[in-house]
Amino acid sequence: MNITKKKTAMGTASGKIILIGEHAAVYGHPAIAIPCTAVQTHVNISPAKNGLYLYCDLYEGLIDDMPELLTGLKTIINATLYYLNQEHTPLHIRIESSIPSERGMGSSAAVSCAIVRSLCQYFNKSITTKELIHLVQIAEKIVHGNPSGLDATIISTETPLFFEKGKPFKKISINTTGYLVIADTGLTGQTKQAIEKVATLKKVAPKTHTSIMTTLSNMTHRVTHYLATNQLHALGQTMTHAHHALQKLGVSHPLLDQLVSLSLEHGALGAKLTGGGLGGCMIALAKTKQDADALRCILLSKGAKQAFVQPL
């Protein structure tokens, strides 16, 4: 196949946020995820004289010499070049990302998505959404073992999704004003340990576990309605109640609780952890961009390592 190459190309992908339903989703209850354009990955492709080179925060050098830790990256690059029938083309691949890694914001899927987009652009090859998701999911399986496909789908489509285990993802309507402030504790999220804690609770206190899961499920259904009907105050209250439920599951962290409390003290309509917990990030809901920017500054001054503002 003879494909025309460009001199350079760039692919971009955004992050994602679990708005509500984390952990309950593991037990078949619904959850909602939304794209997060406030953080992005950019991948630049340029020609090389010989060899295939990668440049990123974790590694610089020949792709064949990459450490095992980056097997997912190597896999997505090789899979995409195979898809394009360009396995032996010498290239420089540069990755820059503002998406915090291991925070439940879809960092690995975004990198994979941006790599596929940039390589397809470089070789002037169009790709369908289905093909894009398929390629990204190949790398996600290397990184996460048995992923749900949520990250690959939401980052590839940039569409808010309602999802339940074992069921097709459903697009949801967001007709909501307001802004989310995402604050990073600076601590790696401990998703595996958090899932184990919730599983232990199910064994030792099954009634408590069932009650919390039912509560989170009902909240998620209500949030779908609030997003579609611009009920900001109800959305915020539900987010805070969801955080309390996640605290009862044992998956929060003192730094997350501190940032949630600070947000509420400084005018947030609601706040909660997002993602696996035991570290990672929290989200707070603000009514206006001005309120969100002010809250972001406060959270940064009070311990957040990074903070971003995302319009709903």
Side-chain angles (χ1 to χ4, degrees):
M1 181 168 55
N2 185 19
I3 299 180
T4 303
K5 295 180 288 187
K6 292 187 177 181
K7 290 184 178 179
T8 61
M10 185 176 76
T12 301
S14 301
K16 76 99 177 32
I17 298 167
I18 301 291
L19 189 62
I20 192 166
E22 50 272 272
H23 288 289
V26 175
Y27 296 89
H29 297 287
I32 294 171
I34 63 174
C36 181
T37 55
V39 288
Q40 295 189 330
T41 295
H42 302 283
V43 174
N44 289 280
I45 308 292
S46 58
K49 289 185 178 179
N50 52 65
L52 192 58
Y53 293 86
L54 179 74
Y55 306 88
C56 64
D57 288 343
L58 298 175
Y59 176 78
E60 291 189 1
L62 283 165
I63 282 178
D64 285 344
D65 297 335
M66 287 166 63
E68 189 176 344
L69 175 69
L70 300 178
T71 300
L73 265 180
K74 185 176 182 179
T75 299
I76 190 64
I77 292 167
N78 287 334
T80 306
L81 290 173
Y82 178 81
Y83 165 80
L84 294 166
N85 195 25
Q86 295 290 333
E87 301 100 309
H88 305 296
T89 303
L91 295 169
H92 294 293
I93 302 173
R94 300 179 185 275
I95 301 171
E96 295 181 0
S97 183
S98 62
I99 305 174
S101 62
E102 298 183 85
R103 303 291 197 275
M105 294 187 71
S107 174
S108 63
V111 168
S112 294
C113 185
I115 285 172
V116 176
R117 284 174 172 162
S118 62
L119 287 170
C120 286
Q121 185 187 113
Y122 184 78
F123 291 105
N124 286 308
K125 167 73 172 177
S126 61
I127 184 171
T128 67
T129 300
K130 184 176 180 181
E131 289 170 326
L132 176 59
I133 293 171
H134 172 72
L135 285 169
V136 172
Q137 189 68 349
I138 290 172
E140 285 293 278
K141 287 177 181 177
I142 299 292
V143 176
H144 298 295
N146 185 29
S148 66
L150 172 67
D151 283 13
T153 302
I154 195 166
I155 287 167
S156 297
T157 63
E158 296 189 356
T159 302
L161 296 175
F162 180 96
F163 64 100
E164 292 180 80
K165 196 173 183 180
K167 296 182 180 180
F169 300 126
K170 290 192 283 188
K171 296 179 182 179
I172 61 170
S173 174
I174 297 184
N175 298 309
T176 309
T177 56
Y179 294 80
L180 290 176
V181 181
I182 306 122
D184 180 8
T185 62
L187 302 174
T188 299
Q190 305 294 324
T191 302
K192 184 179 178 182
Q193 291 89 327
I195 288 173
E196 289 172 353
K197 287 189 76 169
V198 177
T200 299
L201 179 66
K202 189 176 188 294
K203 289 180 181 178
V204 301
K207 289 184 179 179
T208 299
H209 181 276
T210 299
S211 175
I212 295 171
M213 292 298 163
T214 301
T215 297
L216 285 168
S217 179
N218 292 337
M219 288 179 185
T220 301
H221 283 289
R222 292 202 300 273
V223 164
T224 304
H225 175 65
Y226 299 150
L227 289 172
T229 55
N230 199 20
Q231 297 190 51
L232 269 188
H233 287 275
L235 173 60
Q237 289 174 352
T238 305
M239 286 171 58
T240 303
H241 293 325
H243 183 73
H244 295 155
L246 292 165
Q247 283 178 312
K248 291 177 183 177
L249 285 178
V251 298
S252 191
H253 184 279
L255 277 178
L256 288 167
D257 294 338
Q258 178 184 336
L259 294 175
V260 166
S261 296
L262 280 167
S263 298
L264 297 174
E265 289 168 11
H266 289 87
L269 302 179
K272 62 182 286 294
L273 69 84
T274 179
L278 300 180
C281 297
M282 57 75 66
I283 52 177
L285 180 64
K287 188 173 182 179
T288 67
K289 177 71 160 55
Q290 185 178 4
D291 291 344
D293 288 337
L295 180 56
R296 174 182 177 274
C297 291
I298 289 167
L299 294 176
L300 286 171
S301 71
K302 298 291 186 178
K305 301 303 180 186
Q306 302 178 83
F308 314 93
V309 173
Q310 172 68 32
L312 277 172

